Amino acid sequence: MDLAFVLYPKMTALDLIGPYEVLGHQEGVTAHFVAATPDPVTCDAGLVITPTVTFDELDRADIIVVPGSGVWEAALADGAVAAWLRKVHPTATWTTSVCTGSTLLAAAGILDGRPATTHWAVRDRLAELGAVVSTDRVVRDGSVVTGAGVSAGIDMALTLVGLIWGDDRAMFTQLGIEYDPRPPYDAGSPETAPGELVTLARSLLSGSAT
């Protein structure tokens, strides 16, 4: 089973690494890190990831994972990711995104009229791009699975493991990575965070959340 993890400049590392740790260890899986060029890609916090294949070289994958970015508008404007998605999505078994990666799916026409989720600060923009926006942490619509902001990529990937390999395998994977979230604060969403922090976050993110 071929997994394509999409790379592009200034992407958010955890959006990719979380799903990779969940999916990359499953039996029979071959992971590909695909980008526009073979040059190393620098994530938004400085982590460097080297592609294993380019968009021109990889024309199909069983599972596609598209991470988000704090500067996702730049990836939209570039158009390279969306163009590749338009080519490979029709033959993929699963097409997925994490955080603002959903905007790239939308730019490729994959989310037209479909339910999808994204980072809370980008919900309005995703709706403008044609999706039916949900506030759920993970949304599945047919072969398309989207995750909300950053850490939701782990939830999205575990959901996918359950769909492909069964619930027992998904629970075993969750146990193996000790995914048992107990955050020290209850400020992980705009519904629970203090109002002044939500206002500050909105002003800093300015519609381009990670």
Side-chain angles (χ1 to χ4, degrees):
M1 182 178 292
D2 291 304
L3 275 67
F5 293 91
V6 176
L7 308 179
Y8 57 91
K10 300 297 184 182
M11 52 167 276
T12 299
L14 184 57
D15 287 7
L16 182 143
I17 299 301
Y20 171 72
E21 286 298 326
V22 171
L23 296 166
H25 296 285
Q26 303 304 325
E27 185 176 356
V29 161
T30 300
H32 305 277
F33 297 93
V34 58
T37 75
D39 299 326
V41 173
T42 302
C43 299
D44 54 8
L47 180 68
V48 178
I49 304 176
T50 302
T52 58
V53 67
T54 66
F55 291 149
D56 288 337
E57 295 168 335
L58 189 69
D59 61 3
R60 66 162 303 280
D62 298 295
I63 301 173
I64 301 165
V65 179
V66 182
S69 166
V71 289
W72 52 274
E73 290 279 14
L76 278 183
D78 176 75
V81 173
W84 183 76
L85 288 171
R86 280 191 288 271
K87 180 173 66 174
V88 298
H89 166 68
T91 58
T93 305
W94 299 97
T95 299
T96 75
S97 68
V98 182
C99 196
T100 59
S102 57
T103 65
L104 297 172
L105 266 58
I110 296 169
L111 298 184
D112 289 348
R114 306 180 79 150
T117 190
T118 191
H119 189 283
W120 59 267
V122 187
R123 291 170 183 165
D124 290 346
R125 185 71 175 98
L126 185 62
E128 292 173 2
L129 290 169
V132 178
V133 178
S134 170
T135 60
D136 291 345
R137 192 158 172 84
V138 178
V139 173
R140 178 200 175 190
D141 183 60
S143 65
V144 178
V145 186
T146 53
V150 191
S151 61
I154 297 175
D155 301 64
M156 183 280 292
L158 285 170
T159 298
L160 200 57
V161 172
L163 290 168
I164 298 171
W165 289 280
D167 292 339
D168 285 348
R169 183 65 189 181
M171 288 188 289
F172 178 79
T173 301
Q174 180 182 5
L175 178 63
I177 64 173
E178 198 173 350
Y179 184 52
D180 186 23
R182 301 180 188 184
Y185 305 103
D186 187 19
S189 77
E191 290 75 28
T192 60
E196 64 272 17
L197 294 184
V198 176
T199 300
L200 175 62
R202 286 191 186 279
S203 67
L204 294 175
L205 293 169
S206 298
S208 297
T210 55

